[in-house]
Amino acid sequence: MNKINSTPEKDGFRMPGEFEKHDGCWMIWPQRPDNWRLGGKPAQKVFARVAEAINKFEPVTVCVNYDQYENARDMISNDVRVIEVSNDDAWMRDCGATFVVNGSEVRGVDWAFNAWGGLVDGLYFPWHKDDFVAQKMCELIGVNRYRLDDFVLEGGSIHVDGEGTVVVTEECLLSAGRNPHLTKEEIEETLKDYLNVEKIIWLKRGIFNDETNGHVDNIFNFVRPGVCVLAWTDDKNDPQYEISKECYEILSNTPDAKGRKLEVHKLYTPKPVLITAKESEGVDAVNGSIPRAEGDRLAASYANYYTANGGIIFPLFDDPNDEKARTLFEKLYPDREIVGIEGAREILLGGGNIHCITQQQPSVQ
Ligand code: KQY
């Protein structure tokens, strides 16, 4: 397959919205002991649960390092494809290809990946195996790819409506560890060129204490063009309150690419989730990897749900707001089955969420 020396915008390709019909979903298997407690054993059970839940709606492929292949193959049913693809950790949304479509062809966008901030404030070192994942995905499914060697971006830091709008956070896209050589305007130009969007809506910050420098996918999601959800709390003493309020103002007052005023639905967060002593003790301390200390607050939210063809896959935190989230999803997605994932705390303990462990492969539309 070829590396293309052009841009999706020039070639007439666009990134589809999450809610559009797609061909499947990709994931990576967790194992690294300096990120996942107990060598990833508890997280693996939950990843398997997520893969099986999504596989009810669309084919799932799980990529796994060679030393975990047999274990993963054993823990996941044969209905799900498990293949060997070397990786540094399990964040498919972030290191995998971002796909673009033109009505008759799918192509991949292969951004540079530096583990959320490289040597400035990245979360582990090295990350070169992750940086190859997007290329391998494109070759496996036989699609051409645009590669950006000099532009760092993760899939979880963008949300598009498929109709010309992308939502991002300044906290993430303007962070010192990603593209400090570029101005905000130059970053906007790159997003326009490679996602084929006309309008960039800049939120200021993402979920409080999110180690990705505030990925948008943990605080915001598009339900469909013109309609979105925003992670929310009414608790004025919670630092999340000011962050969400600021986002709400921006989203309510910034028209999208089609000139629409966004309909914003408040999606209440669970109460703060803190790392316990037992959980902290299960993680290997390694210089250069983010520490997991007892009492640290995790970036818990329901906005990182996955939109499958016929379903919504969302995290359960054993919190009263689990039900509130389900009720909102039932209202917003009357034609999709709403599926909660028990034990999603284990994904959170690794610093992530359901959205960032999954990547969609679009249909040729
Ligand atoms: O996109 C994400 N939320 C991934 C977080 C990576 C955390 C690595 N410890």
Side-chain angles (χ1 to χ4, degrees):
M1 297 319 302
N2 296 321
K3 192 159 86 172
I4 304 167
N5 193 15
S6 174
T7 68
E9 191 273 329
K10 279 198 192 109
D11 300 340
F13 284 71
R14 69 173 180 103
M15 181 182 173
E18 286 276 307
F19 42 80
E20 295 184 40
K21 189 171 174 312
H22 48 276
D23 275 2
C25 173
W26 289 70
M27 297 176 64
I28 304 175
W29 190 243
Q31 69 175 105
R32 61 181 299 151
D34 58 342
N35 191 61
W36 302 101
R37 71 189 185 102
L38 309 177
K41 282 295 143 215
Q44 288 172 359
K45 286 196 187 130
V46 183
F47 272 59
R49 212 170 281 154
V50 172
E52 306 286 0
I54 298 174
N55 203 59
K56 296 247 163 30
F57 299 102
E58 61 205 44
V60 174
T61 300
V62 179
C63 299
V64 53
N65 280 318
Y66 77 97
D67 57 335
Q68 276 288 312
Y69 176 79
E70 288 175 282
N71 177 46
R73 187 59 290 172
D74 184 63
M75 287 182 68
I76 300 173
S77 77
N78 286 332
D79 297 337
V80 176
R81 182 165 77 154
V82 176
I83 59 171
E84 221 179 280
V85 174
S86 314
N87 58 77
D88 297 296
D89 203 357
W91 311 103
M92 184 51 104
R93 177 76 54 172
D94 291 345
C95 65
T98 296
F99 291 106
V100 290
V101 295
N102 79 340
S104 60
E105 188 185 340
V106 174
R107 290 181 179 172
V109 179
D110 177 3
W111 318 96
F113 177 81
N114 73 355
W116 309 272
L119 299 182
V120 176
D121 60 352
L123 302 178
Y124 49 75
F125 177 86
W127 52 77
H128 60 287
K129 286 186 269 187
D130 282 346
D131 197 22
F132 276 120
V133 169
Q135 176 171 356
K136 291 176 182 177
M137 284 166 86
C138 291
E139 290 184 6
L140 279 161
I141 62 174
V143 303
N144 294 321
R145 126 193 108 93
Y146 302 91
R147 165 71 187 179
L148 295 87
D149 283 326
D150 295 325
F151 188 76
V152 172
L153 185 127
E154 305 97 37
S157 69
I158 50 173
H159 253 312
V160 298
D161 69 354
E163 295 190 354
T165 306
V166 64
V167 182
V168 299
T169 69
E170 291 185 358
E171 181 187 354
C172 181
L173 268 72
L174 305 184
S175 64
R178 288 181 174 78
N179 299 296
H181 56 297
L182 298 178
T183 62
K184 186 173 181 181
E185 291 67 35
E186 288 168 331
I187 291 173
E188 288 205 336
E189 285 313 308
T190 310
L191 295 175
K192 288 179 180 170
D193 288 346
Y194 285 86
L195 302 174
N196 201 352
V197 293
E198 297 119 54
K199 178 78 180 251
I200 292 118
I201 300 183
W202 289 92
L203 304 179
K204 300 278 182 223
R205 294 171 286 171
I207 287 285
F208 176 69
N209 228 17
D210 190 322
E211 64 195 53
T212 61
N213 308 98
H215 268 188
V216 73
D217 72 344
N218 205 16
I219 195 165
F220 168 93
N221 208 339
F222 273 116
V223 175
R224 56 182 175 274
V227 181
C228 63
V229 295
L230 173 68
W232 188 262
T233 176
D234 286 334
D235 180 358
K236 296 198 165 115
N237 296 317
D238 186 332
Q240 185 58 45
Y241 179 80
E242 284 303 324
I243 298 174
S244 291
K245 190 162 155 275
E246 190 175 53
C247 291
Y248 192 86
E249 296 299 318
I250 295 168
L251 291 167
S252 309
N253 293 303
T254 315
D256 67 12
K258 298 277 186 224
R260 288 175 291 235
K261 182 176 162 59
L262 289 174
E263 183 182 311
V264 188
H265 293 268
K266 293 175 177 171
L267 179 53
Y268 283 82
T269 55
K271 56 184 169 312
V273 178
L274 310 183
I275 302 180
T276 65
K278 190 168 160 230
E279 288 166 344
S280 165
E281 281 160 15
V283 182
D284 288 4
V286 167
N287 198 9
S289 295
I290 185 161
R292 304 262 174 236
E294 178 185 358
D296 280 357
R297 177 162 166 181
L298 297 162
S301 149
Y302 300 97
N304 55 71
Y305 60 90
Y306 179 81
T307 308
N309 281 328
I312 295 297
I313 315 297
F314 80 106
L316 296 174
F317 296 115
D318 213 4
D319 184 282
N321 281 353
D322 289 357
E323 267 324 292
K324 224 176 184 163
R326 180 186 292 280
T327 304
L328 182 62
F329 293 140
E330 282 167 352
K331 184 174 128 199
L332 295 175
Y333 295 99
D335 300 331
R336 295 183 208 245
E337 190 184 330
I338 312 302
V339 181
I341 299 293
E342 297 280 353
R345 181 185 180 98
E346 293 297 338
I347 309 177
L348 199 53
L349 283 166
N353 55 61
I354 288 180
H355 196 257
C356 66
I357 65 171
T358 51
Q359 178 60 301
Q360 284 183 351
Q361 180 183 326
S363 316
V364 172
Q365 306 165 32

